[in-house]
Amino acid sequence: MENVVGFAIESLVAVLLVATIAYCALLNRRLGKLRADEGVMRETITELVASTHAAERAIVALRAALGHCEDTLAERLGRAETMSTAIAGQLSAGEEVIERITRIAKAARDHAAREASLDEIARRDADREAVRLAARRRAEEEEETRALIRRVAEEAEPVSRSAATAAAAELFASRIRALSAGSPA
């Protein structure tokens, strides 16, 4: 029985030893993979460190560019404000000029209307004067006709009143025909 227990213990030790060897082989493979991955990992870490340094340099460059952009933007905003102020001044000056032009145009229209009304008044006055002169000429012609009739009546032989009236009527009719024709008699 001792042999069986000894054999069983030795068998158990042998199984455990085989299991330990198998497990060690498995660990050896895993450690080999880990060592192989360690080289890749070191390369990855090296690349990561290089990328980090490059990123830090890029961040510094971006900050410098940002500062330059802020300066440029501030300068451009200042110029834009200056130009905006200048344009606002020019717009107000332009509005004043337009207002002056509007006043001048209105004054010119008013002046033209006054001139037209003065011309109309002058034309009407001239028409009235022409009518007055025509009436005066007719009155003078009538007076001349009466004077002529009186002279003829004084120089002539006594004529009957009806003959003198007929002669005066004939003379008056000839004058009217001459005036109607447009020529003085």
Side-chain angles (χ1 to χ4, degrees), residues 120-135:
E120 180 65 23
I121 290 170
R123 187 186 58 77
R124 287 182 186 171
D125 287 346
D127 289 347
R128 284 186 196 132
E129 188 61 30
V131 168
R132 213 176 293 131
L133 287 175

Side-chain angles (χ1 to χ4, degrees), residues 1 3 21 33 67 84 96-98 118 159 171:
M1 183 125 128
N3 279 340
I21 291 172
K33 284 182 183 179
S84 176
E96 289 176 12
V97 168
I98 288 173
L118 290 176
V159 182
L171 182 62

Side-chain angles (χ1 to χ4, degrees), residues 141 144 171 174-179 182-185:
E141 288 173 357
E144 286 176 8
L171 182 62
S174 67
R175 284 273 211 207
I176 291 201
R177 277 190 293 258
L179 287 173
S183 64

Side-chain angles (χ1 to χ4, degrees), residues 80-155:
E81 287 178 11
T82 304
M83 290 178 74
S84 176
T85 304
I87 288 172
Q90 289 175 354
L91 281 175
S92 65
E95 288 173 355
E96 289 176 12
V97 168
I98 288 173
E99 186 177 320
R100 286 183 200 157
I101 289 172
T102 303
R103 285 193 303 245
I104 290 170
K106 184 179 180 194
R109 278 194 304 264
D110 293 346
H111 181 70
R114 280 193 301 272
E115 288 294 320
S117 65
L118 290 176
D119 289 345
E120 180 65 23
I121 290 170
R123 187 186 58 77
R124 287 182 186 171
D125 287 346
D127 289 347
R128 284 186 196 132
E129 188 61 30
V131 168
R132 213 176 293 131
L133 287 175
R136 185 180 293 163
R137 267 188 267 124
R138 274 184 267 153
E140 288 173 356
E141 288 173 357
E142 288 176 5
E143 186 59 39
E144 286 176 8
T145 304
R146 283 188 204 124
L148 182 62
I149 290 174
R150 268 188 246 127
R151 222 176 340 150
V152 168
E154 289 174 2
E155 293 175 2

Side-chain angles (χ1 to χ4, degrees), residues 9-22:
I9 290 178
E10 283 183 24
S11 297
L12 184 61
V13 170
V15 169
L16 287 175
L17 188 59
V18 170
T20 302
I21 291 172

Side-chain angles (χ1 to χ4, degrees), residues 7-8 46 54-55 73 77 97 125:
F7 183 69
T46 305
L73 183 60
L77 283 174
V97 168
D125 287 346

